[in-house]
Amino acid sequence: RVVAVCNGRVAFSAPFRSYGLLLILDCGGGYHTVLAGFERLDVKVGQTVAAGEPVGVMPGWDPASTGDRPTLYVELWREGKPVNPAPWLRASG
């Protein structure tokens, strides 16, 4: 399960080019988060979400398999320019 990184509004929620299912959240204050790598999106454009609210699901993965582990793609943008998201992200169980 993937959760929203901020309170915000869903600006985009659909397949996009080679990214597969892509989600863009408008977090306000000029900030947007871009997330991709989903198996399923659970939100629609225009929907308001709270930080920590589920927004989608990653593909399943078996550690014993030989396939690649699914990866969540993350971008943070402010005022239309990319920002390093590392200081904003933390692991959560």
Side-chain angles (χ1 to χ4, degrees):
R1 180 169 32 155
V2 178
V3 298
V5 298
C6 63
N7 295 326
R9 183 187 60 80
V10 177
F12 186 88
S13 176
F16 184 75
R17 299 184 183 169
S18 64
Y19 291 95
L21 295 175
L22 185 110
L23 175 65
I24 301 176
L25 293 177
D26 180 347
C27 298
Y31 285 96
H32 289 81
T33 57
V34 179
L35 305 169
F38 295 92
E39 177 177 75
R40 183 183 81 224
L41 288 167
D42 296 331
V43 292
K44 303 208 180 303
V45 171
Q47 183 176 339
T48 301
V49 296
E53 182 177 339
V55 294
V57 175
M58 295 293 292
W61 181 68
D62 178 359
S65 75
T66 58
D68 292 336
R69 182 177 188 164
T71 302
L72 179 65
Y73 178 85
V74 178
E75 287 184 359
L76 176 63
W77 289 73
R78 181 166 190 245
E79 308 278 331
K81 296 180 182 168
V83 175
N84 180 359
W88 298 78
L89 302 174
R90 65 181 168 90
S92 175

